[in-house]
Amino acid sequence: QQQVKQSPQSLIVQKGGIPIINCAYENTAFDYFPWYQQFPGKGPALLIAIRPDVSEKKEGRFTISFNKSAKQFSLHIMDSQPGDSATYFCAASKDDYKLSFGAGTTVTVRA
Amino acid sequence: DTEVTQTPKHLVMGMTNKKSLKCEQHMGHRAMYWYKQKAKKPPELMFVYSYEKLSINESVPSRFSPECPNSSLLNLHLHALQPEDSALYLCASSLPKATQYFGPGTRLTVL
């Protein structure tokens, strides 16, 4: 049973576009929501993370929006570049060692 | 320094072989993890060590045997693996119940 549902499975945008990835969760005990970026053949790298007491967080061109009442959070990649082409995973945890990952979204940014 | 290192990068082994994967971190993290990742899927948790003691085993077959010799090192001993065990094996580390940092992974192929 997947605790975090991620969509879309894949998306393609033109350079400069804004890919948006959405995640939803059911477990209200989750209190930490990281996003990971993974390039082929590499390990996931932490991109940005948020806690439920914050509605938005920006780091460079990456922005997380968090809607606690809807139990949804999303990643926006502003001014996307071909180098942003990767698989993105959202995740959630509840102050323990286990991360519940979404299924992943493959983003392709065309030049 | 947020680096987790893993060796070897690639490993090919037969079903009767015994091999080991190694992971190292020098960030002072006291939690270390092994994950298995199949192509186009999110990482799946296998084991968690906290303060050098095994705290989580996600019902992993006994042909995988983890070991934590000290707070910086984590090994995964492999014996009598099956072809379906071929995957990317990821190590991660964190402060207790905090952000997990992943290594680059070992690409394992079982013939």
Side-chain angles (χ1 to χ4, degrees), chain B residues 5-96:
Chain B
T5 60
Q6 290 187 244
T7 54
K9 286 186 172 27
H10 302 276
L11 178 62
V12 179
M13 60 185 292
M15 289 190 284
T16 58
N17 292 157
K18 287 185 180 180
K19 297 286 184 183
S20 296
L21 308 184
K22 180 179 174 180
C23 173
E24 193 165 4
Q25 58 88 15
H26 296 287
M27 295 179 278
H29 290 170
R30 301 311 297 270
M32 295 186 77
Y33 310 74
W34 280 115
Y35 286 84
K36 173 183 177 180
Q37 186 178 29
K38 291 284 212 179
K40 299 189 183 299
K41 297 291 186 182
E44 297 176 37
L45 183 64
M46 300 174 70
F47 302 103
V48 180
Y49 272 83
S50 177
Y51 294 90
E52 294 100 69
K53 293 191 187 309
L54 183 65
S55 63
I56 297 175
N57 176 342
E58 292 287 87
S59 302
V60 179
S62 61
R63 58 185 183 268
F64 295 92
S65 175
E67 177 196 21
C68 189
N70 60 54
S71 61
S72 300
L73 284 175
L74 186 66
N75 298 319
L76 186 63
H77 303 296
L78 314 172
H79 174 55
L81 295 193
Q82 304 298 309
E84 59 265 30
D85 296 321
S86 298
L88 182 67
Y89 286 84
L90 295 162
C91 175
S93 73
S94 75
L95 293 170

Side-chain angles (χ1 to χ4, degrees), chain A residues 2 32 34 36 38 41-46 49 51 89 95-99 101-104 106, chain B residues 31 33 35 37 40-43 45 48 50 56 58 88 90 96-97 99-104 107:
Chain A
Q2 195 167 32
Y32 178 66
Y36 287 89
Q38 187 174 27
K42 305 292 185 184
L46 180 70
R51 293 199 181 269
F89 292 100
D95 192 30
D96 60 14
Y97 294 104
K98 295 189 178 184
L99 277 174
F101 283 94
T106 300
Chain B
Y33 310 74
Y35 286 84
Q37 186 178 29
K40 299 189 183 299
K41 297 291 186 182
L45 183 64
V48 180
S50 177
I56 297 175
E58 292 287 87
L88 182 67
L90 295 162
K97 303 178 183 179
T99 301
Q100 294 184 28
Y101 295 92
F102 287 83
R107 173 69 60 191

Side-chain angles (χ1 to χ4, degrees), chain A residues 49-108:
Chain A
I50 199 168
R51 293 199 181 269
D53 54 346
V54 177
S55 61
E56 186 176 277
K57 183 174 181 180
K58 294 181 181 181
E59 283 195 14
R61 296 182 292 104
F62 299 92
T63 299
I64 300 178
S65 298
F66 190 88
N67 186 329
K68 187 175 180 179
S69 60
K71 292 185 285 187
Q72 295 176 348
F73 56 111
S74 60
L75 177 71
H76 295 60
I77 306 175
M78 312 304 285
D79 186 28
S80 59
Q81 303 295 313
D84 296 328
S85 298
T87 298
Y88 294 82
F89 292 100
C90 62
S93 72
K94 48 179 174 150
D95 192 30
D96 60 14
Y97 294 104
K98 295 189 178 184
L99 277 174
S100 294
F101 283 94
T105 298
T106 300
V107 173
T108 303

